[in-house]
Amino acid sequence: MGGTARYLLGRLGFYLLAAWVALSLNFLIPRMMPGDPATVMFARFQGQLSPEAMDALRETFGLSDASWWSQYWTYLRHALVGDFGTSVAYFPEPVTGVLLRGLFWTVVLAGSAVVVAFAAGTLLGTLAAWRRGGWLDSVLPPVLALLGAFPYFWLAMLALFVLGFGMGLFPLRHAYSDQLTPGLSPEFLASVFRHTLLPALTLVAVSLGGWMLAMRNTMIGVLGSDFIEYAHARGLAPRRVMLAYAARNAILPNVTGFGMALGFVLGGALLTEIIFSYPVQGYLLIQSVRAQDYPLMQGLFLTISLAVLAANWFVDCATVALDPRTRR
Amino acid sequence: MSRGRSEGRRWLDALLGNRKSMVGLAIVGAFVLMSLVGPSLVQDASAFVATPHQPPSAAHWFGTTGQGQDVFAQTVVGARLTLAVGFTCGFLVIGIGSVIGATAGYVGGRVDEGLSLLTNVFLVLPGLPLMVVVAAWLPAGPGTLLAVLTLTGWAWNARVLRAQTLSLRGKDFVAAAQVSGDGPLRIVMAEILPNMLSLMVSSFIGATVYAIGAQVGLEFLGLGDIGAVTWGTNLYWASNDSALLTGAWWTFVPTGACIALVGFGLTLINFAIDEIANPALQSETIWRKQLSVTPPPGAATPVEVGLA
Amino acid sequence: MPEPLLRVENLDVAYLAADGPVRATSKVSFTLEDGEILGLVGESGSGKSTVAKAAMRVLGQPAVITGGSVRFRGREVLRMSDAELRQWRWRDVSMVMQSALNAMNPVMTVLDHVLDTLAAHGITGAAAKKRAGELLDLVEIDRHHLRSYPHELSGGMRQRVVLGIALALTPPLVFMDEPTTALDVVVERQIMRKLVALQAELGFAVLFITHDVSLLLEFATRIGVMYSGRLVEVAPTQLFRDGARHPYSKGLLGAIPRIDSDEAPVSIPGSPPSLKNPPPGCRFHPRCADALDVCETREPPLVQIGADHWAACHVLEVA
């Protein structure tokens, strides 16, 4: 077990390094960009913000006279305690406060969509590879590929238009009805479910094909392995061979892909959230873009990055649990 | 070198004989043609020609936008910049990816460790938020889009091509070139890269699909040049002019369908390349075609007297 | 005459490829009696593994059996349904594969493999667990390795484990496909001795596939030689050692290094033909020193040339 712990610590080290890169990019980007957008921003907010707030912004965006090193040091110290400065659009609320409000809903929406798409896609891919040449294998891949070719957010627009606007089956915006107070009441949960269903379904629809094809292709490779032949030779039931031998091994590379895809799906989720005015990171993101709220934008980039990195580490732990060869 | 050429020939024949790749090539070819000649055949896409939000009619095939522009003209004209940025980004991504991937894979050691670490860090950072942060600070326009799409897109290809280089490095023809005194640069250029051409082509296609999708997404957010006519800005304006709340479906459906068709066409070509490159997939297909019955999954060797 | 344990007659197997089928075996015929060890020897690509796997019908794509018959105690295997095959496999005939590492599911423990096998044949619960322990005792592996994963065992231990799994239901027949090829010589000898001891104790018959004819001379009851998809000679071991008749068999024997002789081993000139474009007539004739004109045009059938001794060679017919 010592080897396992060392492996997982090594991965943790890698993600910490990646987090440091994200933090540093966040620091460098505004300072390295041509022209001087920060000055433009100050011109815009001149008069709206207190002099203290302006000073804080100057510090954040490298317009103070201090050396880069000392700025960087201050920045890292602040980031470590979760201080990403003050939001301009939601002034005077600190960026962290604005972010935390959205984070939960992103987890609800993107998390459920990713898990459902992964599970359903993997199952479909398993069946398609097992019954090669069957209808599932011939019909679904092209259909899902076409579906996957639509931009995430465009499909969301269409779904919202047809099912929400046209047929009135789904609410048009927000995560829950604004007549309800958030809580654990059945009405509130039902409302959350109704509001989440359509955005989640569109996310599932576009990402399903990728999972299915990945699973199908790895599983076809696994089906050529000796251990499949050996399992058949021992007279095992086909279902057992399919699930415990073929699918169980074919899923391993896909779990690794799961971590990688999280960042990608999250990007799609951000855009989908915008369409549905879902009050989460994506919605905040576009608000911050439109208001040129750079502190909020960068805080978003950081929290989303850190969330993805953390998720990846959990995926690594899952891989260790699933594949005995990674344990030593 | 002759090996590389005959390999290319074999690929071309296989692609031309494959139904999926033919359909894909036809779709993509049609859109490329449209983006080249289309803009000079339709009316000015930015001109305000009619009452806003007119449904499709004989005068305006796809209706008009919330600003009173012709949607058909916008759809045709939008293809040019969108596809140009998409394909250019595909080339940049595959160029950077193969340089970094081949270097890491061929040189190995510390260089590999460093480059792989960099690649993995970029792979694990979420692309869209990073793009947004960078794009927001840069002046809006195609140059910015190219820069951020390439910045966030190269890592995946570098990783795939590194793995392929690693497996090619051990092959006999590489050893032969090393023994005959060829330098590393020559070996990578003349021996390694030509032998992963199919992988590079499919990576290029994948990168292009990604670039078109991400580009449209960024422009939809308002991070492109909203004065230009592209598929992304078409959707930005559709959303901005409340197409969803006024029921003006024609302002976003044609553009979305075009994006999806191009993506689907490119994906089909990649499916075909996959089929040709994957011997397991191919041999199984051939086997099934020659049998008179469909064998149930993996149970028993089929018996067909007199087949061979 | 009662039916033998296994009777293979004129077995034809083809691999279907894009540019037409490749005939991996043609007209392979032999019988196997209870308690016997029949060794099949040949170079790689000679079709020896194909014969065993086709007889069990576990060959996957792109293989297809295109003719012949395989009878187990008189029952036609080639006409069994999927369900009948699953019943028959392992209860009546089991198999030891060349690489136990590749044959075992990498995410399953040894115990899982044994339990899966037993459960497929109706043995579950405590009885199955007890049997798993017994099997490891049988092949002399410590019982705590029931909890081990395949990659945690050494090559020799893995081969012992799959030998134990093959005996799980004490079948009368075991196919062994190069079970010791991947091992070093010392471990190979240990496992072969264990195998022979178990065979004497339990009385199962073995179809033993190898490219190492010296191994067969030591352990087999009878030896069959395969060349380019055909069986070219079959004889009892003693007879084969002293009086192999087919030029290829003689070549195989001549290639064995001997301690008790000053003669240097002689290898057979040339290389085996491709199965895609085999030479016409006898497939061995391009490498045969004794080849006649007829060898280039007509294929020799497998005929009886002595008591329990069969060979396929024009030169022998003429003599």
Side-chain angles (χ1 to χ4, degrees):
Chain A
M1 285 320 270
T4 307
R6 207 171 322 123
Y7 169 77
L8 287 178
L9 278 177
R11 295 304 296 165
L12 191 63
F14 167 73
Y15 294 123
L16 287 176
L17 179 82
W20 172 72
V21 171
L23 276 169
S24 303
L25 276 177
N26 202 28
F27 173 82
L28 285 173
I29 287 167
R31 286 167 177 78
M32 275 172 37
M33 289 302 156
D36 204 352
T39 318
V40 177
M41 181 176 78
F42 290 119
R44 239 172 62 92
F45 291 110
Q46 199 75 50
Q48 293 180 33
L49 300 183
S50 70
E52 297 81 44
M54 291 298 279
D55 284 343
L57 276 182
R58 275 204 189 83
E59 179 110 343
T60 313
F61 292 105
L63 293 183
S64 78
D65 299 326
S67 75
W68 274 32
W69 276 118
S70 83
Q71 288 180 35
Y72 185 53
W73 191 237
T74 318
Y75 164 79
L76 280 185
R77 267 208 333 260
H78 285 167
L80 214 59
V81 294
D83 175 8
F84 298 125
T86 313
S87 164
V88 181
Y90 294 85
F91 191 80
E93 197 173 353
V95 166
T96 324
V98 182
L99 289 177
L100 285 181
R101 264 189 285 143
L103 198 60
F104 174 75
W105 294 110
T106 294
V107 171
V108 169
L109 175 63
S112 53
V114 167
V115 170
V116 169
F118 181 77
T122 302
L123 185 66
L124 287 173
T126 301
L127 294 172
W130 186 250
R131 291 216 173 262
R132 270 271 279 153
W135 70 268
L136 202 62
D137 190 36
S138 346
V139 175
L140 266 193
V143 170
L144 290 177
L146 183 62
L147 216 51
F150 286 101
Y152 271 36
F153 64 92
W154 186 84
L155 210 71
M157 281 170 99
L158 192 69
L160 189 63
F161 179 76
V162 175
L163 300 173
F165 179 83
M167 303 166 73
L169 293 178
F170 292 95
L172 288 180
R173 47 203 295 125
H174 297 316
Y176 49 87
S177 166
D178 42 16
Q179 274 124 37
L180 298 167
T181 27
L184 283 174
S185 67
E187 295 84 23
F188 179 73
L189 290 178
S191 172
V192 166
F193 180 75
R194 267 173 22 92
H195 281 78
T196 309
L197 196 58
L198 195 55
L201 279 181
T202 55
L203 277 176
V204 169
V206 278
S207 49
L208 194 61
W211 293 121
M212 173 178 174
L213 282 175
M215 183 63 184
R216 168 184 173 273
N217 289 347
T218 29
M219 176 127 158
I220 285 173
V222 169
L223 283 173
S225 312
D226 283 357
F227 64 80
I228 299 295
E229 187 180 274
Y230 186 58
H232 283 305
R234 284 180 287 144
L236 265 58
R239 183 189 297 255
R240 179 86 185 147
V241 180
M242 174 176 89
L243 295 177
Y245 287 72
R248 176 70 173 75
N249 279 282
I251 205 172
L252 295 175
N254 285 20
V255 171
T256 317
F258 186 82
M260 298 275 179
L262 265 174
F264 194 74
V265 176
L266 217 74
L270 295 182
L271 294 169
T272 309
E273 288 162 3
I274 290 166
I275 305 286
F276 288 93
S277 315
Y278 208 80
V280 279
Q281 312 299 83
Y283 190 61
L284 288 175
L285 185 67
I286 191 151
Q287 296 292 15
S288 63
V289 169
R290 294 208 169 134
Q292 285 178 296
D293 186 347
Y294 292 102
L296 186 55
M297 222 188 299
Q298 297 194 276
L300 272 168
F301 164 65
L302 272 186
T303 40
I304 293 170
S305 298
L306 294 181
V308 168
L309 294 177
N312 264 283
W313 192 67
F314 286 116
V315 168
D316 284 340
C317 295
T319 313
V320 167
L322 284 175
D323 189 349
R325 284 164 299 183
T326 57
R327 297 172 224 153
R328 252 171 289 267
Chain B
M1 286 268 70
S2 66
R3 183 186 50 239
R5 206 173 305 125
S6 66
E7 183 71 6
R9 187 75 250 157
R10 192 179 72 81
W11 269 96
L12 201 63
D13 288 346
L15 279 178
L16 292 178
N18 185 300
R19 203 180 48 184
K20 285 192 185 120
S21 65
M22 285 313 286
V23 175
L25 283 169
I27 295 176
V28 176
F31 274 100
V32 169
L33 192 69
M34 181 180 101
S35 73
L36 291 177
V37 302
S40 52
L41 299 178
V42 297
Q43 54 186 305
D44 183 359
S46 308
F48 305 106
V49 291
T51 341
H53 278 166
Q54 290 290 302
S57 64
H60 302 286
W61 293 350
F62 288 177
T64 60
T65 68
Q67 319 273 323
Q69 297 139 316
D70 185 70
V71 176
F72 179 72
Q74 289 211 324
T75 310
V76 172
V77 173
R80 182 174 280 182
L81 211 51
T82 304
L83 293 186
V85 170
F87 281 109
T88 312
C89 177
F91 272 113
L92 286 176
V93 161
I94 196 69
I96 296 175
S98 43
V99 167
I100 292 188
T103 308
Y106 187 78
V107 178
R110 284 279 165 79
V111 175
D112 182 24
E113 274 173 34
L115 289 178
S116 294
L117 193 64
L118 189 70
T119 309
N120 288 335
V121 166
F122 268 88
L123 262 181
V124 86
L125 291 180
L128 188 86
L130 180 60
M131 282 191 257
V132 168
V133 169
V134 178
W137 287 99
L138 286 169
T144 295
L145 286 177
L146 265 182
V148 296
L149 293 174
T150 310
L151 176 78
T152 50
W154 64 272
W156 179 254
N157 291 286
R159 182 176 158 122
V160 171
L161 294 172
R162 171 184 171 270
Q164 183 72 0
T165 306
L166 271 182
S167 76
L168 284 175
R169 194 173 65 168
K171 292 277 159 65
D172 289 345
F173 59 85
V174 174
Q178 282 169 334
V179 171
S180 62
D182 287 351
L185 188 65
R186 214 195 115 69
I187 293 177
V188 168
M189 297 306 283
E191 304 292 338
I192 304 240
L193 290 183
N195 274 291
M196 40 191 210
L197 206 60
S198 73
L199 188 66
M200 286 170 70
V201 171
S202 76
S203 302
F204 164 70
I205 292 175
T208 306
V209 172
Y210 152 82
I212 293 175
Q215 176 197 174
V216 169
L218 283 178
E219 287 178 329
F220 172 73
L221 280 174
L223 287 165
D225 175 3
I226 50 174
V229 176
T230 69
W231 284 346
T233 50
N234 288 353
L235 294 177
Y236 169 79
W237 284 114
S239 155
N240 227 34
D241 297 340
S242 310
L244 281 175
L245 298 178
T246 55
W249 54 268
W250 56 88
T251 57
F252 66 88
V253 167
T255 293
C258 287
I259 297 166
L261 271 175
V262 171
F264 181 61
L266 289 168
T267 309
L268 275 185
I269 301 174
N270 252 0
F271 276 8
I273 292 179
D274 236 22
E275 271 175 22
I276 298 165
N278 189 335
L281 278 178
Q282 221 193 358
S283 85
E284 184 169 340
T285 308
I286 292 160
W287 179 67
R288 281 175 190 281
K289 272 191 189 146
Q290 294 186 21
L291 294 173
S292 62
V293 289
T294 310
T301 314
V303 179
E304 278 202 62
V305 175
L307 188 69
Chain C
M1 212 169 96
E3 274 289 334
L5 179 66
L6 184 74
R7 180 192 289 280
V8 174
E9 265 175 353
N10 295 325
L11 186 64
D12 288 346
V13 178
Y15 292 112
L16 303 182
D19 39 358
V22 175
R23 303 186 67 170
T25 73
S26 36
K27 306 264 174 287
V28 172
S29 304
F30 60 87
T31 59
L32 188 55
E33 301 289 347
D34 276 291
E36 191 179 29
I37 301 181
L38 171 63
L40 274 189
V41 64
E43 293 156 310
S44 55
S46 62
K48 53 192 193 301
S49 298
T50 303
V51 167
K53 288 182 179 173
M56 217 169 153
R57 287 188 64 192
V58 291
L59 271 183
Q61 58 101 359
V64 59
I65 297 171
T66 55
S69 130
V70 176
R71 263 171 289 172
F72 179 86
R73 294 207 201 282
R75 253 180 99 198
E76 180 54 80
V77 175
L78 301 193
R79 275 202 288 274
M80 284 186 191
S81 69
D82 288 351
E84 286 170 330
L85 271 173
R86 281 201 296 278
Q87 282 291 309
W88 172 69
R89 288 173 183 164
W90 232 256
R91 192 167 279 291
D92 285 321
V93 52
S94 65
M95 171 171 242
V96 177
M97 297 190 34
Q98 173 169 0
S99 165
L101 183 64
N102 295 339
M104 294 177 80
N105 185 344
V107 300
M108 276 192 172
T109 61
V110 170
L111 180 65
D112 292 335
H113 280 86
V114 179
L115 292 184
D116 255 6
T117 312
L118 293 172
H121 297 276
I123 303 164
T124 51
K129 284 216 168 113
K130 180 165 163 282
R131 181 72 184 139
E134 289 167 10
L135 289 174
L136 253 59
D137 294 347
L138 205 59
V139 292
E140 291 168 352
I141 299 274
D142 195 293
R143 284 190 181 209
H144 79 257
H145 283 304
L146 281 173
R147 298 269 159 227
S148 296
Y149 287 94
H151 72 275
E152 296 169 338
L153 303 172
S154 72
M157 284 160 86
R158 278 196 293 266
Q159 288 309 130
R160 281 169 184 263
V161 166
V162 290
L163 181 59
I165 295 176
L167 302 176
L169 300 155
T170 48
L173 175 58
V174 182
F175 290 160
M176 301 202 171
D177 185 6
E178 310 223 22
T180 57
T181 301
L183 306 175
D184 67 66
V185 185
V186 179
V187 180
E188 177 177 50
R189 292 288 133 167
Q190 285 171 0
I191 292 197
M192 284 310 294
R193 273 197 284 279
K194 185 75 223 166
L195 168 64
V196 172
L198 284 171
Q199 197 258 349
E201 182 188 334
L202 302 170
F204 51 88
V206 178
L207 180 66
F208 194 95
I209 287 142
T210 179
H211 60 264
D212 182 359
V213 72
S214 59
L215 203 63
L216 295 185
L217 291 175
E218 206 171 326
F219 297 106
T221 330
R222 273 194 308 147
I223 296 177
V225 179
M226 288 206 62
Y227 186 78
S228 186
R230 280 125 222 272
L231 196 61
V232 294
E233 183 162 11
V234 189
T237 304
Q238 190 62 41
L239 191 60
F240 187 84
R241 188 201 320 262
D242 303 331
R245 301 289 302 279
H246 194 284
Y248 179 64
S249 311
K250 287 195 271 188
L252 281 181
L253 289 172
I256 304 173
R258 309 189 91 116
I259 302 172
D260 56 349
S261 152
D262 291 338
E263 286 171 50
V266 187
S267 63
I268 308 168
S271 51
S274 88
L275 288 168
K276 220 173 201 58
N277 295 304
C282 172
R283 295 195 168 184
F284 188 60
H285 86 259
R287 299 169 76 185
C288 183
D290 308 327
L292 309 166
D293 285 349
V294 62
C295 300
E296 289 172 30
T297 54
R298 212 159 54 80
E299 216 185 319
L302 187 70
V303 294
Q304 189 154 20
I305 58 167
D308 208 12
H309 192 172
W310 300 68
C313 178
H314 291 305
V315 183
L316 301 182
E317 287 170 37
V318 174

